[in-house]
Amino acid sequence: MGRLLIFLSAVLAVLGGTGWYLVKRSTTLCPLLARHPAWAWGPYALFVGLLLFLPPLQHALASRGEFLAPLQLFGYLLFSFISTFLPLLLAADLLQAGTRRLLHAPPTLGAWAFGAAFVLSLAFCLLGFFTARGAIPVVRVEIPVEGLDPELDGLRIVQLSDLHIAPGFSDARVRAIASALVASGIGAG
């Protein structure tokens, strides 16, 4: 129990620090969020709430998965946005610090940097979401194995990775991928 409390404390400290940085920088760089900081704190609080309470809620309501699907999808997209926005906002801060120091850039660069980080984060999230729903690329790699038993010549091994199964990625989609592998002769039924 002690280890769990230490782990949860560390997770909450990291989430708290990340949230403070995201909201503080967002409200500093974006005049609209400076006037309405709840617009920055609200989504982050929702993100933390979903991160902490959605798994136990999902476990408790396992038989009612359709009820949680929209909430899971929203949480997934929110997590994707925040995990993309954080490094882009940090990069924007570093860019702003460098340009201010080297070029004596005006303070308006901050709003542009924030806007660019925000728009790029949205674009990357949407790109990732729609790419995950697209065709699965197949890469064939032939690996010669010295001393391989002749009976194993032509053996095929299939590795599925990085499917990122999440809300919006149905069981039917997983079955379709497996069926396509079998039909292509890559995998065996």
Side-chain angles (χ1 to χ4, degrees), residues 4-72:
L4 178 62
L5 289 176
I6 291 170
F7 173 75
L8 287 176
S9 298
V11 166
L12 289 175
V14 168
L15 288 173
T18 302
W20 179 86
Y21 172 76
L22 282 172
V23 172
K24 179 71 174 161
R25 294 308 296 149
S26 296
T27 55
T28 300
L29 296 173
C30 179
L32 182 63
L33 291 178
R35 288 191 300 275
H36 305 285
W39 291 358
W41 278 112
Y44 191 76
L46 182 61
F47 162 70
V48 172
L50 287 172
L51 192 65
L52 295 176
F53 298 113
L54 192 57
L57 186 62
Q58 184 177 1
H59 181 70
L61 300 174
S63 63
R64 300 186 58 184
E66 71 284 347
F67 167 73
L68 292 176
L71 194 58
Q72 288 174 319

Side-chain angles (χ1 to χ4, degrees), residues 83-160:
S83 61
T84 306
F85 186 57
L86 178 64
L88 289 175
L89 188 60
L90 182 60
D93 276 350
L94 292 173
L95 175 69
Q96 181 175 337
T99 54
R100 275 195 180 162
R101 181 167 287 242
L102 298 173
L103 305 175
H104 306 289
T108 57
L109 179 63
W112 284 102
F114 171 82
F118 188 85
V119 168
L120 281 173
S121 295
L122 282 178
F124 288 152
C125 288
L126 291 173
L127 176 67
F129 180 74
F130 289 112
T131 300
R133 300 173 67 87
I136 304 290
V138 176
V139 178
R140 295 173 193 256
V141 178
E142 192 167 316
I143 303 173
V145 178
E146 198 173 304
L148 181 68
D149 187 334
E151 287 183 21
L152 297 176
D153 189 31
L155 176 70
R156 293 181 180 175
I157 299 174
V158 176
Q159 175 188 343
L160 288 175

Side-chain angles (χ1 to χ4, degrees), residues 167-179:
F169 200 101
S170 67
D171 292 342
R173 173 108 165 106
V174 175
R175 284 198 266 329
I177 291 168
S179 295

